[in-house]
Amino acid sequence: MKYLVDFRRFSAHLVDVTIEFTAHQDAPILWLPTWIAGSYLIREFSKNITLVQYLHDGKLSDAQKLSKNSYELTHIKAGEAVSVHYEVYCHDLSVRTTFVDHTRLFGNFSSLLLMIEGQEQSDAHITLSVPKSFFAINPDAVLASGLKHTTTQTPDATLYHFEAVTAFDSYDYPFEIATQAMFEFTVTDRHGKALPHRFFIAGKHQANLTRLKTDVQKICQAYLDELSTAPFYDYTFMTMATGNEYGGLEHQNSTALVTPRSDLPTAFEPELPTDDYQRYLGLCSHEYFHAWWVKAVRPDVMMTSMLQQEAPTPLLWVFEGFTSYIDDFMLLKAGVIDRAAYLKLLGAQINRYYQTAGRDLQSVAESSFDAWIKLYRADENYTNQGVSYYNKGALVALLLDLTLLKHSNNRHRLLDVVRSFYQKAKDSKDGRFGMTHDNLGEVVSGFIPAAIWQDFFENYVIGRSTLPIEEMLGDFLVSIQSTHQQKIWGMSTELMSEGLKIKHLARDGSASLAGLSVNDIIIAIDGLKASQKVLETASKGQQHDSHAVVVHAFRRDELMVFEVAHGITEHRQIRLSGGADDWLG
C-alpha cells in the first residue's frame, strides 16, 4: 500500500491524501480510528475528513459511507488496483491529532490515514509531500519523527519517504516539520549498547539547549540504569513551545509534547531547576517512561484494540499512576533535583489529593474504568464525585512502593515490579505483555507475602479506604508540617468585569446549600458591589453573629437573590521534609 500525504494547501489547514493499493476483496472497506492510543476519549477523527472518492473505470466515484468512520468502495472487485483520494482538515494544536499552517506541519497518522479492512498488517509506504512554498516561508524547516526516512526533490516539492511499517503500526509514529532547534545525545544500556536520542523544539522560544540536553540525558540514562534495556533502538522527543498549552502523548520510540515556553530553561537557569522547568522535565520523564510502561507493558484489553471502540480497563491507575509517581522520582534519581525539591513535588501531589472532595467516593480502579466518561469530560462537579487515577494512582503507587520496602526488609520496591513485567514483555514474541489485576497480584506477591498484597488491593485499589499517606511516610522518617486552607462558603471564584464568577462549589458548602451554582456571577454581597475583599469582609462578619448574607447573582441573564449562611470549608495543606535513605536513595 502507498500513502501520499500532500501539504500543498497548508495555508487552508488542509491535507490531501491519496492511497494506492490492490483490493483483497470485493467492495473493500476503509476506516479511521475514533481515538488515539494513550488518550482515552472518543475523538471522532473522521469528522475532519471530506469527500472520499476513488477511481473506477477512469472516473471518480464517491465512497459510500457505512458508519461514522467507515467507507465502502462499492464498485471495486478483488484484485483491482485502487486509488483513493480525500482531504483532511488539520487545525488542532493538541498532541493527539493534526495541525497544519504556514509555520508547522504536525500529524498523527491515526487522524490522517484510512485503513483498508483486512489489510491492516500489510506494509505501508508513506510519503509526505511538502511544497517549495512552505520552505520559502520556513527555509530551515526539518522533519522530526521516530520513523527513519529518505528525501527526494521534485520541481515543486520535497518528498519524505518513510521506511515501510505495517499500516496499523504507522499510527504510533507522529511527525513534525517546522523550524526546530535540535540536539542529539546517546544513553547506554546495561550491555553497553548506545541508544541515540534526538530532541526537537518548535515554536518561538529561547531555551538553553545546553542545559536542557544535560538534564534530559541524565534522566534518560537513569531509566536505562534502572530498567537495564530499552524497548526501542533510538528515541525522538518532539516539543512545541506555546504560550500556555501543556501535554504529552507517548509513542513507540518517540513522544509529542506541547509546553508553555516559560517552562523551558533559560540562560540564567539556576543549578536547582525552577518550578516551571521542573514541570517540563517531569513531562519528558513521564512520556519517556511510557515506552516501557504502556507501550511494552500495557493493559490486557489494549493488546489488540483497533482504536474504534472504547477499551475500558480498571488498570489505568497502574499505567498513569505508577508513571505519575515514578516520573518525579526519576528526576531525583537522575540528580537533576535534590531531596527538598522532590519532596515539594510529592507534597503538591498529596495536596491536590486533599483538595479533591470526591477522593473517598471512587476507587482508583473505578476511576480508571470511568476514564472515558469522566476524566476526559470533567465538569464542575467532577472533583465532588470522583478522583483522578493520575493523582490518586500516583499516591497508591507511593504507598505500594513503601509497602514493598517495609515488608521485604528494604530489598524490593516498585521498580522491581516494573522490571518483572518488562521482562515478560521482552520474553514475548512481539515485545508486549498484557497486564491484568490477577497477574499484577502474582508479581507483587513474589516480593511480599500475598496476604499483604491482597489487603492492600482490597483497601486501596478496588476499595475506597482512606489512603494512609502520612502514616506510611512517617514510617520512612518524613517530617510533615500541616496547615489548613480555607474556602469561604465552599466556593472558588474568578473576578470578572461583571462580578465574581463561581468556578467551583463544594456540594456541602454553604453557597451550594443556598442554591448558588457554578457559572453564576455574583454582582452584590449585602448590597455592596461584589469583590473578593467584600466577600472576605462579609464572611468575617458572619463569624461574629452567624447572620445570613444576601447575595445578588446573575444566572444566565436572570437576576436571582440568595441568602447564604456562614460557612468555611477546609482542606489540609502539607509540607514534607526529611526522608529515609532506603526510600529516597
Side-chain angles (χ1 to χ4, degrees):
M1 292 181 292
K2 295 181 180 179
Y3 290 89
L4 177 64
V5 183
D6 191 334
F7 295 96
R8 72 183 66 187
R9 293 195 287 166
F10 61 83
S11 60
H13 315 299
L14 292 173
V15 171
D16 294 288
V17 181
T18 300
I19 311 174
E20 294 182 349
F21 67 100
T22 299
H24 287 189
Q25 60 188 31
D26 293 346
I29 294 172
L30 279 60
W31 60 270
L32 195 71
T34 60
W35 59 282
I36 187 170
S39 185
Y40 310 109
L41 178 67
I42 297 296
R43 298 188 184 275
E44 311 293 19
F45 299 133
S46 59
K47 67 184 179 183
N48 293 315
I49 287 183
T50 306
L51 200 59
V52 179
Q53 296 182 308
Y54 61 101
L55 279 174
H56 178 67
D57 289 341
K59 57 184 179 181
L60 283 175
S61 297
D62 291 349
Q64 180 180 352
K65 196 162 189 179
L66 300 181
S67 69
K68 64 182 180 180
N69 67 317
S70 64
Y71 308 81
E72 181 183 85
L73 311 184
T74 308
H75 304 296
I76 299 298
K77 301 298 183 183
E80 283 191 54
V82 188
S83 181
V84 178
H85 310 270
Y86 57 92
E87 70 174 32
V88 187
Y89 182 67
C90 305
H91 199 234
D92 179 1
L93 195 58
S94 81
V95 297
R96 296 176 294 268
T97 52
T98 53
F99 183 90
V100 170
D101 70 2
H102 67 288
T103 64
R104 178 177 182 247
L105 313 176
F106 171 81
N108 288 282
F109 289 127
S110 50
S111 302
L112 290 170
L113 304 186
L114 288 166
M115 288 292 107
I116 297 103
E117 189 174 276
Q119 298 180 229
E120 293 89 351
Q121 298 305 313
S122 299
D123 280 350
H125 300 265
I126 303 169
T127 298
L128 308 183
S129 176
V130 182
K132 298 295 186 183
S133 56
F134 180 83
F135 291 104
I137 302 169
N138 309 280
D140 297 320
V142 294
L143 168 66
S145 176
L147 270 181
K148 291 181 174 60
H149 69 277
T150 57
T151 304
T152 59
Q153 302 290 337
T154 72
D156 300 320
T158 296
L159 303 180
Y160 297 96
H161 310 280
F162 287 117
E163 64 179 339
V165 292
T166 61
F168 190 77
D169 286 344
S170 71
Y171 286 164
D172 220 7
Y173 295 96
F175 63 88
E176 180 151 21
I177 303 173
T179 301
Q180 304 184 78
M182 184 260 190
F183 57 81
E184 298 177 301
F185 61 88
T186 61
V187 297
T188 307
D189 70 13
R190 289 286 181 89
H191 305 298
K193 181 179 180 180
L195 303 174
H197 287 55
R198 301 189 304 163
F199 205 105
F200 295 86
I201 309 177
K204 293 184 178 180
H205 64 89
Q206 294 181 322
N208 181 343
L209 298 184
T210 301
R211 173 63 182 275
L212 182 58
K213 176 180 176 179
T214 298
D215 290 339
V216 174
Q217 183 175 18
K218 287 180 180 179
I219 294 165
C220 295
Q221 186 61 60
Y223 276 104
L224 268 296
D225 292 344
E226 287 290 341
L227 300 172
S228 182
T229 62
F232 49 76
Y233 298 105
D234 53 58
Y235 197 88
T236 300
F237 289 90
M238 291 173 276
T239 295
M240 176 63 184
T242 68
N244 52 26
E245 285 84 3
Y246 178 85
L249 192 63
E250 69 275 7
H251 295 279
Q252 194 67 35
N253 70 336
S254 65
T255 181
L257 312 171
V258 59
T259 186
R261 58 181 60 89
S262 57
D263 282 9
L264 297 171
T266 69
F268 309 102
E269 193 69 36
E271 182 176 354
L272 177 66
T274 60
D275 290 350
D276 289 344
Y277 182 33
Q278 285 182 43
R279 185 170 81 140
Y280 179 66
L281 291 176
L283 178 63
C284 293
S285 176
H286 185 103
E287 303 303 339
Y288 190 66
F289 180 49
H290 274 325
W292 289 266
W293 205 239
V294 162
K295 291 302 175 183
V297 183
R298 58 182 65 188
D300 62 326
V301 300
M302 295 181 188
M303 290 291 286
T304 57
S305 173
M306 297 303 282
L307 306 178
Q308 294 190 74
Q309 292 86 34
E310 295 97 329
T313 172
L315 285 160
L316 294 181
W317 75 271
V318 175
F319 291 94
E320 295 297 353
F322 278 32
T323 305
S324 296
Y325 170 59
I326 289 172
D327 57 9
D328 287 339
F329 189 80
M330 292 303 288
L331 302 188
L332 175 64
K333 294 286 286 185
V336 300
I337 63 173
D338 59 17
R339 279 196 183 191
Y342 171 69
L343 290 173
K344 183 178 178 181
L345 290 170
L346 180 59
Q349 189 82 266
I350 296 169
N351 287 330
R352 281 194 292 274
Y353 173 70
Y354 285 160
Q355 292 168 25
T356 304
R359 62 186 179 273
D360 293 329
L361 298 178
Q362 191 178 47
S363 72
V364 285
E366 292 169 330
S367 176
S368 300
F369 203 83
D370 282 347
W372 300 85
I373 60 172
K374 291 191 176 181
L375 181 71
Y376 285 92
R377 294 176 177 173
D379 59 18
E380 67 277 1
N381 190 49
Y382 175 70
T383 58
N384 283 327
Q385 67 172 5
V387 70
S388 163
Y389 53 80
Y390 283 85
N391 175 228
K392 190 173 182 178
L395 298 177
V396 172
L398 162 69
L399 296 184
L400 183 55
D401 194 17
L402 299 180
T403 298
L404 285 159
L405 282 165
K406 181 177 180 178
H407 292 281
S408 69
N409 294 319
N410 296 324
R411 289 183 292 112
H412 299 298
R413 60 184 316 169
L414 196 64
L415 280 167
D416 290 302
V417 176
V418 172
R419 278 189 288 268
S420 294
F421 274 102
Y422 177 47
Q423 186 61 51
K424 292 178 183 293
K426 288 196 292 183
D427 291 342
S428 68
K429 289 183 179 180
D430 62 359
R432 298 172 180 175
F433 184 81
M435 182 188 290
T436 65
H437 270 154
D438 287 342
N439 59 37
L440 174 62
E442 291 170 4
V443 169
V444 174
S445 297
F447 298 117
I448 58 175
I452 299 295
W453 161 251
Q454 193 61 36
D455 182 68
F456 185 97
F457 180 75
E458 290 177 359
N459 279 287
Y460 310 126
V461 176
I462 61 173
R464 296 186 292 274
S465 298
T466 299
L467 301 184
I469 299 167
E470 296 178 47
E471 298 93 318
M472 292 198 70
L473 285 176
D475 290 342
F476 284 82
L477 307 181
V478 176
S479 176
I480 300 169
Q481 296 80 44
S482 178
T483 58
H484 285 82
Q485 193 173 77
Q486 298 183 337
K487 284 187 178 180
I488 297 171
W489 299 346
M491 68 179 185
S492 299
T493 60
E494 176 187 4
L495 182 61
M496 305 182 70
S497 58
E498 302 95 324
L500 290 175
K501 184 176 183 178
I502 299 176
K503 303 296 290 182
H504 179 264
L505 285 173
R507 60 174 56 177
D508 57 351
S510 54
S512 179
L513 295 175
L516 284 159
S517 179
V518 167
N519 293 327
D520 286 354
I521 297 178
I522 300 173
I523 60 170
I525 300 171
D526 266 351
L528 298 177
K529 182 179 179 181
S531 68
Q532 189 61 37
K533 186 173 182 179
V534 169
L535 175 62
E536 292 170 358
T537 300
S539 177
K540 288 177 181 177
Q542 288 181 306
Q543 294 176 24
H544 298 291
D545 57 17
S546 298
H547 69 283
V549 169
V550 177
V551 171
H552 287 75
F554 274 109
R555 181 169 300 170
R556 300 177 297 275
D557 59 350
E558 300 175 21
L559 182 62
M560 299 183 180
V561 183
F562 305 89
E563 292 189 356
V564 184
H566 174 58
I568 297 288
T569 61
E570 294 186 337
H571 60 259
R572 297 191 61 218
Q573 192 88 355
I574 67 168
R575 295 180 61 188
L576 308 177
S577 59
D581 291 342
D582 293 331
W583 169 41
L584 295 179

Short mmCIF file of all heavy atoms in Angstrom, two decimals, residues 500-535:
data_model
loop_
_atom_site.label_atom_id
_atom_site.label_comp_id
_atom_site.label_asym_id
_atom_site.label_seq_id
_atom_site.Cartn_x
_atom_site.Cartn_y
_atom_site.Cartn_z
N LEU A 500 -18.12 38.46 40.53
CA LEU A 500 -17.39 37.25 40.90
C LEU A 500 -18.07 36.04 40.24
O LEU A 500 -19.20 35.69 40.57
CB LEU A 500 -17.38 37.06 42.42
CG LEU A 500 -16.55 38.05 43.24
CD1 LEU A 500 -16.76 37.79 44.73
CD2 LEU A 500 -15.06 37.92 42.90
N LYS A 501 -17.37 35.40 39.33
CA LYS A 501 -17.91 34.22 38.67
C LYS A 501 -17.53 32.98 39.46
O LYS A 501 -16.36 32.77 39.79
CB LYS A 501 -17.38 34.10 37.24
CG LYS A 501 -17.98 32.95 36.47
CD LYS A 501 -17.50 32.94 35.02
CE LYS A 501 -18.15 31.82 34.22
NZ LYS A 501 -17.72 31.84 32.80
N ILE A 502 -18.52 32.16 39.78
CA ILE A 502 -18.26 30.95 40.56
C ILE A 502 -17.67 29.87 39.65
O ILE A 502 -18.27 29.49 38.65
CB ILE A 502 -19.56 30.44 41.22
CG1 ILE A 502 -20.12 31.50 42.17
CG2 ILE A 502 -19.30 29.13 41.97
CD1 ILE A 502 -21.45 31.12 42.79
N LYS A 503 -16.48 29.39 40.02
CA LYS A 503 -15.78 28.39 39.23
C LYS A 503 -15.98 26.98 39.78
O LYS A 503 -15.97 26.01 39.03
CB LYS A 503 -14.28 28.70 39.17
CG LYS A 503 -13.96 30.08 38.64
CD LYS A 503 -14.39 30.24 37.19
CE LYS A 503 -13.54 29.42 36.26
NZ LYS A 503 -13.92 29.62 34.84
N HIS A 504 -16.12 26.84 41.09
CA HIS A 504 -16.29 25.52 41.69
C HIS A 504 -17.04 25.65 42.99
O HIS A 504 -16.88 26.64 43.72
CB HIS A 504 -14.93 24.86 41.95
CG HIS A 504 -15.04 23.50 42.59
ND1 HIS A 504 -14.93 23.32 43.94
CD2 HIS A 504 -15.28 22.29 42.05
CE1 HIS A 504 -15.09 22.02 44.22
NE2 HIS A 504 -15.30 21.38 43.09
N LEU A 505 -17.86 24.65 43.28
CA LEU A 505 -18.62 24.62 44.54
C LEU A 505 -18.46 23.28 45.21
O LEU A 505 -18.59 22.23 44.56
CB LEU A 505 -20.12 24.85 44.27
CG LEU A 505 -20.59 26.26 43.93
CD1 LEU A 505 -22.05 26.22 43.53
CD2 LEU A 505 -20.39 27.19 45.11
N ALA A 506 -18.16 23.30 46.51
CA ALA A 506 -18.24 22.08 47.29
C ALA A 506 -19.71 21.78 47.51
O ALA A 506 -20.49 22.67 47.87
CB ALA A 506 -17.52 22.25 48.63
N ARG A 507 -20.11 20.53 47.31
CA ARG A 507 -21.53 20.21 47.34
C ARG A 507 -22.16 20.43 48.72
O ARG A 507 -23.35 20.67 48.83
CB ARG A 507 -21.76 18.77 46.88
CG ARG A 507 -21.09 17.72 47.73
CD ARG A 507 -21.48 16.32 47.29
NE ARG A 507 -21.20 16.08 45.87
CZ ARG A 507 -21.41 14.91 45.27
NH1 ARG A 507 -21.87 13.89 45.96
NH2 ARG A 507 -21.14 14.76 43.99
N ASP A 508 -21.33 20.37 49.78
CA ASP A 508 -21.86 20.60 51.12
C ASP A 508 -21.49 21.98 51.65
O ASP A 508 -21.66 22.29 52.83
CB ASP A 508 -21.37 19.53 52.10
CG ASP A 508 -19.84 19.46 52.16
OD1 ASP A 508 -19.18 20.12 51.33
OD2 ASP A 508 -19.31 18.75 53.02
N GLY A 509 -20.99 22.86 50.77
CA GLY A 509 -20.65 24.21 51.18
C GLY A 509 -21.89 25.09 51.29
O GLY A 509 -22.94 24.81 50.70
N SER A 510 -21.78 26.16 52.02
CA SER A 510 -22.96 26.99 52.28
C SER A 510 -23.46 27.69 51.02
O SER A 510 -24.66 27.95 50.88
CB SER A 510 -22.66 28.02 53.38
OG SER A 510 -21.51 28.78 53.06
N ALA A 511 -22.56 27.99 50.06
CA ALA A 511 -23.02 28.60 48.80
C ALA A 511 -23.89 27.63 48.02
O ALA A 511 -24.96 27.99 47.51
CB ALA A 511 -21.83 29.05 47.97
N SER A 512 -23.44 26.38 47.94
CA SER A 512 -24.22 25.37 47.23
C SER A 512 -25.55 25.11 47.94
O SER A 512 -26.60 25.01 47.29
CB SER A 512 -23.42 24.07 47.14
OG SER A 512 -24.16 23.07 46.47
N LEU A 513 -25.51 25.02 49.26
CA LEU A 513 -26.73 24.76 50.03
C LEU A 513 -27.72 25.91 49.90
O LEU A 513 -28.94 25.72 49.99
CB LEU A 513 -26.40 24.51 51.49
CG LEU A 513 -25.57 23.23 51.76
CD1 LEU A 513 -25.19 23.16 53.24
CD2 LEU A 513 -26.36 21.99 51.34
N ALA A 514 -27.21 27.13 49.67
CA ALA A 514 -28.09 28.28 49.50
C ALA A 514 -28.73 28.33 48.11
O ALA A 514 -29.67 29.10 47.88
CB ALA A 514 -27.31 29.57 49.75
N GLY A 515 -28.20 27.53 47.16
CA GLY A 515 -28.77 27.48 45.83
C GLY A 515 -27.92 28.08 44.74
O GLY A 515 -28.29 28.04 43.56
N LEU A 516 -26.78 28.67 45.11
CA LEU A 516 -25.88 29.19 44.09
C LEU A 516 -25.30 28.05 43.25
O LEU A 516 -25.24 26.90 43.71
CB LEU A 516 -24.74 29.99 44.74
CG LEU A 516 -25.13 31.38 45.23
CD1 LEU A 516 -24.16 31.90 46.28
CD2 LEU A 516 -25.21 32.35 44.05
N SER A 517 -24.88 28.38 42.03
CA SER A 517 -24.43 27.36 41.10
C SER A 517 -23.17 27.81 40.39
O SER A 517 -22.88 29.02 40.29
CB SER A 517 -25.53 27.10 40.06
OG SER A 517 -25.13 26.13 39.14
N VAL A 518 -22.41 26.83 39.91
CA VAL A 518 -21.24 27.14 39.09
C VAL A 518 -21.68 27.97 37.88
O VAL A 518 -22.75 27.75 37.31
CB VAL A 518 -20.56 25.84 38.64
CG1 VAL A 518 -19.53 26.10 37.55
CG2 VAL A 518 -19.89 25.15 39.83
N ASN A 519 -20.86 28.96 37.55
CA ASN A 519 -21.07 29.91 36.45
C ASN A 519 -22.03 31.05 36.80
O ASN A 519 -22.20 31.97 36.00
CB ASN A 519 -21.53 29.23 35.16
CG ASN A 519 -20.45 28.34 34.57
OD1 ASN A 519 -19.27 28.63 34.69
ND2 ASN A 519 -20.86 27.25 33.95
N ASP A 520 -22.67 31.00 37.99
CA ASP A 520 -23.38 32.19 38.45
C ASP A 520 -22.37 33.33 38.62
O ASP A 520 -21.22 33.10 39.03
CB ASP A 520 -24.06 31.93 39.80
CG ASP A 520 -25.29 31.04 39.68
OD1 ASP A 520 -25.69 30.73 38.55
OD2 ASP A 520 -25.85 30.68 40.74
N ILE A 521 -22.83 34.54 38.33
CA ILE A 521 -21.95 35.71 38.52
C ILE A 521 -22.53 36.56 39.64
O ILE A 521 -23.61 37.16 39.50
CB ILE A 521 -21.82 36.53 37.22
CG1 ILE A 521 -21.15 35.66 36.13
CG2 ILE A 521 -20.99 37.79 37.47
CD1 ILE A 521 -21.02 36.35 34.79
N ILE A 522 -21.84 36.57 40.77
CA ILE A 522 -22.28 37.35 41.93
C ILE A 522 -21.97 38.82 41.67
O ILE A 522 -20.82 39.19 41.41
CB ILE A 522 -21.56 36.88 43.21
CG1 ILE A 522 -21.87 35.39 43.48
CG2 ILE A 522 -21.95 37.73 44.41
CD1 ILE A 522 -21.07 34.79 44.62
N ILE A 523 -23.01 39.67 41.76
CA ILE A 523 -22.79 41.09 41.48
C ILE A 523 -22.87 41.94 42.74
O ILE A 523 -22.35 43.07 42.77
CB ILE A 523 -23.80 41.61 40.44
CG1 ILE A 523 -25.24 41.44 40.94
CG2 ILE A 523 -23.60 40.89 39.10
CD1 ILE A 523 -26.27 42.14 40.07
N ALA A 524 -23.51 41.41 43.80
CA ALA A 524 -23.63 42.19 45.03
C ALA A 524 -23.67 41.27 46.23
O ALA A 524 -24.28 40.19 46.18
CB ALA A 524 -24.87 43.08 45.00
N ILE A 525 -23.03 41.70 47.32
CA ILE A 525 -23.00 40.96 48.59
C ILE A 525 -23.41 41.93 49.69
O ILE A 525 -22.72 42.94 49.93
CB ILE A 525 -21.59 40.39 48.87
CG1 ILE A 525 -21.17 39.43 47.74
CG2 ILE A 525 -21.55 39.68 50.22
CD1 ILE A 525 -19.73 38.97 47.83
N ASP A 526 -24.58 41.66 50.29
CA ASP A 526 -25.13 42.57 51.31
C ASP A 526 -25.19 44.01 50.80
O ASP A 526 -24.82 44.96 51.50
CB ASP A 526 -24.33 42.49 52.61
CG ASP A 526 -24.96 41.50 53.60
OD1 ASP A 526 -26.08 41.04 53.34
OD2 ASP A 526 -24.31 41.21 54.61
N GLY A 527 -25.61 44.16 49.54
CA GLY A 527 -25.82 45.47 48.97
C GLY A 527 -24.59 46.16 48.45
O GLY A 527 -24.68 47.29 47.94
N LEU A 528 -23.42 45.51 48.52
CA LEU A 528 -22.18 46.11 48.02
C LEU A 528 -21.71 45.37 46.77
O LEU A 528 -21.91 44.16 46.64
CB LEU A 528 -21.08 46.04 49.09
CG LEU A 528 -21.36 46.80 50.39
CD1 LEU A 528 -20.22 46.58 51.38
CD2 LEU A 528 -21.53 48.30 50.11
N LYS A 529 -21.10 46.13 45.86
CA LYS A 529 -20.59 45.52 44.64
C LYS A 529 -19.64 44.39 44.98
O LYS A 529 -18.72 44.54 45.79
CB LYS A 529 -19.88 46.57 43.78
CG LYS A 529 -19.37 46.01 42.45
CD LYS A 529 -18.68 47.10 41.63
CE LYS A 529 -18.16 46.52 40.33
NZ LYS A 529 -17.46 47.54 39.50
N ALA A 530 -19.84 43.25 44.36
CA ALA A 530 -19.08 42.05 44.71
C ALA A 530 -17.61 42.18 44.31
O ALA A 530 -17.27 42.64 43.22
CB ALA A 530 -19.68 40.83 44.03
N SER A 531 -16.75 41.79 45.24
CA SER A 531 -15.32 41.67 45.01
C SER A 531 -14.80 40.66 46.01
O SER A 531 -15.51 40.27 46.96
CB SER A 531 -14.60 43.00 45.18
OG SER A 531 -14.63 43.39 46.55
N GLN A 532 -13.56 40.23 45.85
CA GLN A 532 -13.00 39.26 46.80
C GLN A 532 -12.91 39.87 48.19
O GLN A 532 -13.19 39.21 49.19
CB GLN A 532 -11.62 38.81 46.32
CG GLN A 532 -11.04 37.63 47.11
CD GLN A 532 -11.88 36.38 47.04
OE1 GLN A 532 -12.46 36.09 46.00
NE2 GLN A 532 -11.96 35.63 48.13
N LYS A 533 -12.56 41.14 48.26
CA LYS A 533 -12.45 41.80 49.56
C LYS A 533 -13.81 41.92 50.24
O LYS A 533 -13.94 41.69 51.45
CB LYS A 533 -11.82 43.18 49.40
CG LYS A 533 -11.53 43.87 50.72
CD LYS A 533 -10.76 45.17 50.52
CE LYS A 533 -10.44 45.82 51.86
NZ LYS A 533 -9.67 47.08 51.69
N VAL A 534 -14.85 42.27 49.47
CA VAL A 534 -16.20 42.37 50.04
C VAL A 534 -16.65 40.99 50.53
O VAL A 534 -17.27 40.87 51.60
CB VAL A 534 -17.17 42.94 49.00
CG1 VAL A 534 -18.62 42.80 49.47
CG2 VAL A 534 -16.86 44.41 48.72
N LEU A 535 -16.33 39.94 49.78
CA LEU A 535 -16.68 38.58 50.19
C LEU A 535 -15.98 38.22 51.49
O LEU A 535 -16.61 37.67 52.42
CB LEU A 535 -16.28 37.61 49.08
CG LEU A 535 -16.46 36.12 49.39
CD1 LEU A 535 -17.93 35.79 49.66
CD2 LEU A 535 -15.93 35.27 48.23
#
